[in-house]
Amino acid sequence: MIGNLAFDAHAFMETFRRNYVNLHNLWTKGGQPPAGIRLSTPAETPITEGDLPVPLGRLLEDYRRTHPDRAVTFIKYLQTVDGAPTIVVEDERGLPGEDELLTMSQTVTINTSEVARVTTDLFVAQLSTRTVEGEHRG
Amino acid sequence: VADVKYSFTDPDGQVISGSVHVTEGDASKPLIILLHGDGGDINDMSDPATHPQNNYDYAAPFPADKEIGWKWYPGIGPWSFLLDVMKPVTGWQPVLTGHGFRCANYTQIDNSGLLARPVLELTAIVQALLKAFPTASLVFLAHSRGGLLVRKFIKDNQNDPTLAGRISFIITLHSPHQGSDLANVANALDAAITALATVNATMVMAAFGWLASIVHSPSFQELAVGSPFLTTLSAGETAMPGVAYHSFGGISVRLTRLLSWFYTLGSAFPQWHLPPYDHWITMVELPGSPVLNSLPPLAPEIIQGQGDMLVADGRAHLPFSIQHTNSLNHAEALWDPSLQAQVLSLLGQSGGIWG
């Protein structure tokens, strides 16, 4: 439950995975990317915590504080402006399983009597178990 | 269907003529005269889904979540506001005719005015029916103010020999026999409704703006607790010999829920998809719902367990009536199947009269 609305986080992650489309494969193995899009792989454009907008960086700090045993590795990044993709960082890998999947996003808008723009940044990360130093003493 | 013509002269000397339809039925059963309430019309007793409406299905389960589609912006907050949907209902006339009773149903003159001319009109109609159906026993089935209409008619014609032995039942449904206190607190009620409307003015006024307007009307003020009309009517009033009086009151103020289709939280989360937002909506009940239950307890008429929205159960009965109470609101008395079954049972119990 978030606010007054019920929310099933696990089910949402399943939905996220079900609706997922690998844009890298779509545009490199069968078609052309839309004009104006910057398409690259994580190897070419590494996604680091420093790339996160400040509010997302704070969210990630909170997550790490409450989940010290989880390592977070960013593997995909998508930016859309008014629904059209402008930046895609992705390779041929699919999504992690729903229990190893973390997503972070930020939507910002500007609106005047002449201009309306909606920009969404979506980051996808792989969660893994982090080995804490000193944990293995045997 | 027979058309029975009648005419009467009003207090201004104007001759008014009309006709009332009488549906076909079993001649061995009584003829039932249907009387609607204040502001009503012929549909109240025949097709209440047409008028007065208010047949909200407030107990309906919420529908399943609905997908709106993929969008490029997050879906957050309310998507729409609405009241409960209307449900199909069956009014008194089709129910009674379905059981073989003949019914006389009509829209009263001055249906939103004072009762003076409707009483004269009813007198003329009854006289016309007695002549047209010389062996028929009469039953009055009256909703709301219709109950006061028939009481005034009876009092004015108590000694009319043509009525002797011709009326078997007077059944009133949610009639303000002892008045309605809402008429006495009309201004306070206005203020309470205005305050509640801050939740959502359009929704609240759609749900019961009618209540705010009706309580100020002269016809409703005529029914105020302690009004001159009611005081005069009850003074020296006695039951007509040979007539079984039954009064039904209601104790539910549940009318409709205030509902909203709300974006699901998942609609606010982008997905790896173009466009990224999958909009879904889910139905929720808003604060302040159900509407009438949210009003302050200004009068028993609008308190759950005491009133039916317009009439308090404690004021819906007569000293000489057999009293019945149901958990119904004022409008539900026009179509509720359990109430209809109770009335049919009453009529059927008097088998010695009509076989």
Side-chain angles (χ1 to χ4, degrees):
Chain A
M1 182 76 76
I2 301 177
N4 291 322
L5 295 176
F7 184 68
D8 185 336
H10 195 271
F12 182 78
M13 281 311 195
E14 290 176 341
T15 300
F16 189 101
R17 296 187 77 254
R18 190 167 58 249
N19 291 326
Y20 165 78
V21 176
N22 189 307
L23 300 174
H24 172 85
N25 290 343
L26 180 68
W27 291 329
T28 60
K29 296 181 179 175
Q32 293 291 316
I37 190 171
R38 284 161 47 196
L39 179 63
S40 60
T41 66
E44 296 164 340
T45 310
I47 310 166
T48 68
E49 278 189 53
D51 297 319
L52 293 176
V54 172
L56 294 187
R58 293 192 187 120
L59 279 178
L60 186 60
E61 283 178 24
D62 285 346
Y63 178 80
R64 284 203 164 116
R65 194 160 37 247
T66 55
H67 299 78
D69 59 332
R70 305 290 268 174
V72 178
T73 306
F74 288 98
I75 57 174
K76 298 176 188 291
Y77 169 60
L78 166 67
Q79 182 186 72
T80 64
V81 176
D82 296 345
T86 53
I87 303 173
V88 175
V89 180
E90 188 180 29
D91 55 23
E92 66 281 356
R93 285 178 293 177
L95 290 175
E98 55 262 23
D99 294 327
E100 286 80 42
L101 176 60
L102 179 146
T103 74
M104 304 188 76
S105 72
Q106 173 178 276
T107 295
V108 294
T109 65
I110 185 169
N111 190 206
T112 71
S113 61
E114 298 173 327
V115 174
R117 180 173 293 178
V118 179
T119 298
T120 295
D121 293 292
L122 174 61
F123 296 85
V124 174
Q126 166 88 52
L127 292 174
S128 56
T129 302
R130 192 164 69 91
T131 303
V132 179
E133 194 172 336
E135 199 169 76
H136 301 288
R137 297 180 178 174
Chain B
V1 177
D3 282 339
V4 176
K5 298 185 184 307
Y6 63 90
S7 67
F8 64 98
T9 304
D10 76 3
D12 294 330
Q14 183 183 2
V15 176
I16 297 171
S17 300
S19 65
V20 61
H21 297 293
V22 179
T23 58
E24 290 182 356
D26 186 342
S28 68
K29 292 185 174 180
L31 191 160
I32 300 178
I33 301 172
L34 302 171
L35 300 174
H36 64 71
D38 184 17
D41 63 29
I42 193 170
N43 291 303
D44 286 34
M45 303 302 274
S46 61
D47 184 14
T50 297
H51 190 279
Q53 302 181 330
N54 284 340
N55 46 316
Y56 296 104
D57 194 1
Y58 55 72
F62 285 174
D65 293 354
K66 292 198 291 191
E67 184 175 20
I68 302 303
W70 289 91
K71 306 289 183 183
W72 48 272
Y73 49 88
I76 300 170
W79 189 74
S80 68
F81 295 99
L82 65 161
L83 304 176
D84 277 305
V85 296
M86 300 292 183
K87 63 181 178 182
V89 293
T90 305
W92 282 102
Q93 182 175 317
V95 166
L96 292 167
T97 55
H99 284 78
F101 292 98
R102 294 162 292 176
C103 292
N105 188 18
Y106 67 103
T107 298
Q108 297 156 22
I109 192 170
D110 298 341
N111 57 348
S112 296
L114 303 181
L115 273 170
R117 295 207 307 171
V119 172
L120 296 173
E121 180 186 49
L122 177 59
T123 303
I125 288 173
V126 170
Q127 290 302 327
L129 290 173
L130 289 173
K131 289 176 186 168
F133 301 92
T135 62
S137 172
L138 299 184
V139 170
F140 290 91
L141 180 63
H143 179 241
S144 192
R145 190 182 73 160
L148 280 77
L149 170 59
V150 68
R151 282 174 60 197
K152 184 71 167 75
F153 160 74
I154 293 293
K155 189 173 186 188
D156 289 353
N157 296 277
Q158 184 94 11
N159 299 316
D160 182 345
T162 64
L163 289 177
R166 297 296 302 274
I167 302 172
S168 50
F169 283 93
I170 292 177
I171 301 169
T172 65
L173 310 172
H174 299 214
S175 295
H177 290 305
Q178 314 305 325
S180 175
D181 207 22
L182 282 188
N184 304 74
V185 298
N187 289 333
L189 181 67
D190 272 355
I193 292 174
T194 300
L196 185 60
T198 58
V199 175
N200 184 309
T202 303
M203 296 283 296
V204 169
M205 296 315 290
F208 62 133
W210 58 273
L211 182 61
S213 61
I214 197 172
V215 295
H216 283 289
S217 67
S219 55
F220 198 76
Q221 288 292 320
E222 189 177 41
L223 310 180
V225 174
S227 72
F229 173 81
L230 286 175
T231 303
T232 302
L233 177 60
S234 60
E237 184 184 23
T238 57
M240 177 173 260
V243 178
Y245 287 76
H246 289 265
S247 56
F248 288 82
I251 54 170
S252 171
V253 298
R254 193 169 179 84
L255 178 65
T256 177
R257 294 169 294 191
L258 292 178
L259 303 172
S260 174
W261 281 107
F262 235 75
Y263 283 110
T264 62
L265 281 169
S267 304
F269 295 132
Q271 300 184 45
W272 197 275
H273 184 281
L274 297 174
Y277 293 95
D278 190 15
H279 284 190
W280 284 76
I281 52 176
T282 190
M283 184 168 280
V284 299
E285 190 169 357
L286 295 173
S289 172
V291 284
L292 274 171
N293 306 53
S294 301
L295 288 175
L298 297 169
E301 281 78 359
I302 56 172
I303 297 176
Q304 182 73 18
Q306 297 184 40
D308 73 354
M309 300 191 303
L310 285 171
V311 179
D313 181 54
R315 298 188 178 112
H317 305 288
L318 293 164
F320 42 82
S321 66
I322 298 173
Q323 303 178 5
H324 312 261
T325 298
N326 292 298
S327 184
L328 299 175
N329 71 36
H330 199 72
E332 287 172 315
L334 294 172
W335 63 73
D336 181 71
S338 65
L339 175 59
Q340 290 168 341
Q342 292 170 60
V343 170
L344 286 168
S345 176
L346 285 177
L347 298 175
Q349 284 173 359
S350 299
I353 298 174
W354 52 80

